Amino acid sequence: MSLLASIGYFTLGGCIGHVLPRFPYLLLSRNKGFNTRFPPHPEAIPLSPYLTQRVLHMRMFYWMGLIVVLLPLILGLLTVRWGDAAFGFGLWISSGWYLLNRIQSLFGGQTPPWTNKMALDLQIISNQAEQSDACCNWASPYWQVTGIVCVNCNSKLSKMPRPDLGRKRSERKPMGFFRLLLSDGYPMVSLPDEEE
Ligand SMILES: [Zn+2]
């Protein structure tokens, strides 16, 4: 086989190994029926138990990848042994890298885009809005791209940027998919710390 074909197969294997374990959070929850409780994609989302639950679901989909990744890992090994070695190697490298990356986040470094703490924080802010020490009488916290804001009095309740929340994305078909692949679910903005 020519070198060019090998490189092509390697790249193809690499791409499949990259996308496959991300399928749960890329695909599950994207259809309309799953998102009737939320406004359409770029809009801010009101804090509610549904939102808290969605964060926990996204977290579950994220970790589900650890099971899905076994597929390209095993397939990669088999292909290196009995099939096209370049393809199998690409598959194996990228899924192995994925596995290392996820395991590393158990020990430190960047936290996953969706965490238990995030769900807890949302619930706390949501509860506070209903109590007497809320920012205003008709507090209604919304999660915008850069943080949680009360849309009634405009006070900023949290600086937690909004990750992808599994809604159908507003961009046209392949673009939304690529943006998700690039961002890996993390918030698209990283603002410099505001001076206070
Ligand atoms: Zn308010």
Side-chain angles (χ1 to χ4, degrees), residues 134-140 150-155 157:
C135 54
C136 56
N137 279 335
W138 306 100
S140 59
C150 168
V151 288
N152 190 37
C153 67
N154 268 330
S155 50
L157 306 174

Side-chain angles (χ1 to χ4, degrees), residues 23-35:
F23 260 10
Y25 77 79
L26 284 174
L27 295 183
L28 301 176
S29 90
R30 294 284 159 195
N31 67 18
K32 234 183 187 158
F34 257 109
N35 296 295

Side-chain angles (χ1 to χ4, degrees), residues 122-133:
L122 289 174
Q123 203 50 51
I124 290 170
I125 293 170
S126 180
N127 290 346
Q128 261 169 2
E130 284 167 17
Q131 285 162 3
S132 53
D133 60 342

Side-chain angles (χ1 to χ4, degrees), residues 27-181:
L27 295 183
L28 301 176
S29 90
R30 294 284 159 195
N31 67 18
K32 234 183 187 158
F34 257 109
N35 296 295
T36 49
R37 304 278 183 187
F38 305 117
H41 166 247
E43 287 174 33
I45 304 187
L47 264 57
S48 70
Y50 300 112
L51 179 62
T52 311
Q53 195 185 37
R54 172 53 60 90
V55 169
L56 291 174
H57 279 157
M58 294 308 287
R59 177 177 170 273
M60 187 177 72
F61 296 153
Y62 180 82
W63 289 110
M64 222 185 244
L66 277 183
I67 299 168
V68 181
V69 77
L70 294 178
L71 192 73
L73 265 183
I74 295 169
L75 198 72
L77 274 179
L78 294 179
T79 319
V80 166
R81 183 75 180 77
W82 287 289
D84 184 84
F87 178 73
F89 194 54
L91 207 59
W92 203 76
I93 288 273
S94 63
S95 49
W97 177 251
Y98 171 92
L99 195 64
L100 277 181
N101 192 279
R102 291 296 187 262
I103 291 172
Q104 168 260 313
S105 73
L106 290 175
F107 298 103
Q110 196 177 24
T111 52
W114 309 277
T115 58
N116 266 333
K117 188 184 173 297
M118 180 181 274
L120 196 68
D121 286 350
L122 289 174
Q123 203 50 51
I124 290 170
I125 293 170
S126 180
N127 290 346
Q128 261 169 2
E130 284 167 17
Q131 285 162 3
S132 53
D133 60 342
C135 54
C136 56
N137 279 335
W138 306 100
S140 59
Y142 272 67
W143 204 357
Q144 298 178 344
V145 178
T146 57
I148 297 167
V149 174
C150 168
V151 288
N152 190 37
C153 67
N154 268 330
S155 50
K156 193 146 192 173
L157 306 174
S158 164
K159 284 204 288 187
M160 183 161 62
R162 191 181 72 200
D164 175 72
L165 288 166
R167 294 181 289 179
K168 193 175 177 308
R169 297 196 59 101
S170 59
E171 301 100 341
R172 270 189 283 152
K173 263 270 150 70
M175 282 316 290
F177 188 74
F178 284 126
R179 284 193 90 158
L180 267 175
L181 266 186

